[in-house]
Amino acid sequence: SSRLIVPIPERPKVISPIFKRSPDITKARATKSEQLLRIDDHDFTMRPGFGGPAVPVGVDVQVESLDAISEVDMDFTMTLYLRHYWKDDRLSFKSNTNQSMTFDGRLVKKIWVPDMFFVHSKKSFTHDTTTDNVMLRVYPDGKVLYSLRVTVTAMCSMDLSRFPLDTQTCSLEIESYAYTDDDLMLYWKEGNRSLNTDERISLSQFLIQEFHTTTKLAFYSSTGWYNRLYINFTLRRHIFFFLLQTYFPATLMVMLSWVSFWIDRRAVPARVPLGITTVLTMSTIITGVNASMPRVSYIKAVDVYLWISFVFVFLSVIEYAAVNYLSTLQERKERKLREKLPCTCGIAHPGMMSDCYSEVDVNTTGNYGMPEENGMRRERMLVELAMESDQMTGHVGSRAYSSIWIDTHAIDKYSRVIFPGSYILFNIIYWSIYS
């Protein structure tokens, strides 16, 4: 029997579709300017001329404003335009017109730029309104200008020993963070002319005397030597505000305390409140001044003035306490002397009437008259008996008693001259030293 061979039809070939490789959407297409600068052809993570000599980077600064000076925090705030100049041959391009190209901050992230930072800064930021305040300008030969607008708050070590008659010098320090002087040479592009300031810069409390630049080397034990640029400025404090708020009130309080020297020493309700009021007012002035100052461990010029003024006010209170105490002692001696005197003194010695009794002037002794009785005013009489060497007369010597009254009253008289004179002398010495 013959076999029937049935041909098996061939299976149709399945042709798989060819997929084209999709582009990497995470990789942005190079712009025309980037193609001109050949950004993708170089590794910009390395500095220009890597392995060769240090790349020179010139710097100039335009100070826009000096915003604040704080004695409490020992810092200052400054807004400035910081500009860098260097040459990177990798960014050179052909140009028939030899014109530069200017870019915003987007290209800065794709090329090498100096890694500047502010030494001893507390906080800083680059302005971003309405867009990032960054500018990059590239020239055909590869020269680059990189400019940005920055506000920085930096430390300023102040010596307040002469406050408020002081002059302060602060510095803003600029340095490369990663590159030592072997890789990056930082310098002021045109010396002192590299620092420009706005003529309208002014501070309410300070007078800006001088801006100048310096350059130094900074050494770190773990990394090496770095170029550091300094922006130095000198500030002199305006004294007029403190004259009105501190010195004049303190001086007036001291002068007010002297008024008690002209008030009768028996007027206790008048002299005591006056002394206490001036002492409390001086305490308030001292507290108010120190509340707005840092807690330094040394004495300031204003402390010298206020505390010596406080001592003058306090001594005026002590002066009245001494006068009142001596007056009280004298009254006791007068009372005892009056008890020992015979009531017939004037009869036994009629010739001594004018010597034994005399009216006492209130202005010379400071005594008040006795109260009125039977319509007649009886003035306090001071008995003065001559001290005789002959004890047979029986007279009791009391010249020492009279001299005590004069000495007690003389305290006020002397104080009227000594206190103002001493305070004027203190002011002459103080202002000659601190001015």
Side-chain angles (χ1 to χ4, degrees):
S1 62
S2 61
R3 293 181 178 179
L4 180 62
I5 300 174
V6 180
I8 300 175
E10 295 181 358
R11 298 176 62 183
K13 296 181 179 180
V14 179
I15 301 175
S16 59
I18 300 176
F19 296 97
K20 293 183 179 180
R21 186 177 180 181
S22 59
D24 187 0
I25 60 176
T26 61
K27 185 175 182 181
R29 180 179 298 179
T31 62
K32 186 176 180 180
S33 58
E34 293 177 5
Q35 292 175 358
L36 181 62
L37 297 175
R38 303 187 305 277
I39 299 296
D40 296 332
D41 295 343
H42 303 283
D43 183 9
F44 283 97
T45 59
M46 311 297 289
R47 69 171 180 87
F50 178 76
V55 53
V57 177
V59 175
D60 69 36
V61 170
Q62 171 76 36
V63 178
E64 182 182 10
S65 64
L66 195 57
D67 303 320
I69 307 290
S70 175
E71 294 87 359
V72 177
D73 299 325
M74 293 282 186
D75 60 23
F76 66 92
T77 302
M78 178 186 292
T79 300
L80 52 91
Y81 297 94
L82 181 61
R83 304 185 183 96
H84 312 73
Y85 302 85
W86 74 94
K87 185 176 182 180
D88 192 343
D89 293 330
R90 296 171 296 184
L91 296 176
S92 60
F93 61 93
K94 294 181 180 180
S95 175
N96 296 329
T97 60
N98 199 30
Q99 291 183 348
S100 62
M101 292 190 298
T102 302
F103 306 93
D104 56 17
R106 289 173 289 183
L107 185 64
V108 173
K109 300 178 182 179
K110 300 180 181 181
I111 66 171
W112 181 89
V113 294
D115 57 339
M116 298 295 106
F117 80 104
F118 298 101
V119 185
H120 301 144
S121 66
K122 297 182 178 180
K123 60 181 179 179
S124 60
F125 62 92
T126 303
H127 291 260
D128 56 1
T129 306
T130 58
T131 184
D132 291 341
N133 296 175
V134 176
M135 184 269 288
L136 185 72
R137 182 171 295 168
V138 182
Y139 294 87
D141 58 354
K143 291 182 179 179
V144 182
L145 164 61
Y146 173 46
S147 175
L148 63 160
R149 182 167 172 255
V150 181
T151 293
V152 56
T153 300
M155 183 184 69
C156 178
S157 298
M158 301 182 185
D159 180 12
L160 300 175
S161 59
R162 298 178 64 89
F163 175 88
L165 304 167
D166 56 333
T167 299
Q168 303 295 339
T169 299
C170 300
S171 299
L172 182 62
E173 306 170 14
I174 306 172
E175 183 180 306
S176 171
Y177 189 83
Y179 297 101
T180 65
D181 61 340
D182 294 329
D183 293 320
L184 190 145
M185 184 180 69
L186 200 62
Y187 67 97
W188 289 111
K189 190 172 184 293
E190 297 180 3
N192 271 335
R193 292 185 297 174
S194 300
L195 178 60
N196 301 304
T197 58
D198 194 330
E199 296 180 354
R200 296 174 297 177
I201 295 178
S202 63
L203 295 170
S204 59
Q205 193 175 149
F206 291 92
L207 172 65
I208 303 175
Q209 290 188 323
E210 181 186 11
F211 273 98
H212 67 278
T213 62
T214 54
T215 304
K216 296 181 181 179
L217 283 174
F219 177 74
Y220 299 90
S221 58
S222 57
T223 54
W225 294 90
Y226 294 81
N227 293 113
R228 183 177 295 180
L229 305 181
Y230 292 80
I231 302 174
N232 306 307
F233 55 96
T234 304
L235 305 171
R236 182 173 180 83
R237 197 182 305 273
H238 294 301
I239 186 61
F240 188 70
F241 171 81
F242 296 95
L243 288 177
L244 292 180
Q245 299 296 322
T246 304
Y247 286 94
F248 284 167
T251 303
L252 290 177
M253 286 301 104
V254 175
M255 296 174 65
L256 183 61
S257 67
W258 300 339
V259 175
S260 63
F261 302 151
W262 279 266
I263 300 178
D264 193 281
R265 57 186 172 180
R266 292 292 178 259
V268 178
R271 296 188 67 165
V272 172
L274 179 61
I276 295 176
T277 300
T278 53
V279 169
L280 293 178
T281 304
M282 284 301 305
S283 301
T284 303
I285 294 175
I286 294 174
T287 303
V289 171
N290 292 328
S292 60
M293 296 298 298
R295 298 178 180 178
V296 295
S297 59
Y298 49 84
I299 298 177
K300 303 181 291 293
V302 68
D303 294 334
V304 174
Y305 194 90
L306 291 180
W307 279 105
I308 291 183
S309 299
F310 182 85
V311 169
F312 271 90
V313 172
F314 182 76
L315 288 178
S316 67
V317 178
I318 299 300
E319 185 269 349
Y320 176 63
V323 170
N324 187 270
Y325 176 71
L326 293 177
S327 300
T328 303
L329 289 180
Q330 186 56 43
E331 287 179 355
R332 293 176 182 175
K333 291 182 180 181
E334 179 188 359
R335 190 179 303 110
K336 291 180 181 180
L337 180 61
R338 189 182 298 111
E339 292 174 355
K340 293 179 181 180
L341 291 177
C343 60
T344 59
C345 176
I347 301 175
H349 305 279
M352 296 180 58
M353 179 65 71
S354 60
D355 294 334
C356 291
Y357 296 94
S358 60
E359 292 188 1
V360 181
D361 187 5
V362 175
N363 292 329
T364 57
T365 63
N367 292 327
Y368 275 91
M370 299 296 290
E372 294 184 0
E373 293 183 3
N374 300 326
M376 300 291 295
R377 182 175 179 177
R378 296 169 52 192
E379 300 290 342
R380 176 174 293 183
M381 313 302 284
L382 179 61
V383 178
E384 180 181 10
L385 299 176
M387 183 178 293
E388 301 289 345
S389 59
D390 187 3
Q391 298 181 359
M392 295 300 294
T393 58
H395 294 167
V396 181
S398 60
R399 285 195 180 274
Y401 162 71
S402 177
S403 63
I404 292 177
W405 276 104
I406 298 174
D407 291 342
T408 303
H409 183 65
I411 294 179
D412 277 342
K413 285 186 175 180
Y414 294 149
S415 297
R416 296 171 189 175
V417 178
I418 294 176
F419 273 73
S422 301
Y423 195 68
I424 291 174
L425 179 62
F426 159 69
N427 274 272
I428 293 174
I429 297 174
Y430 178 87
W431 293 107
S432 62
I433 292 176
Y434 289 104
S435 295

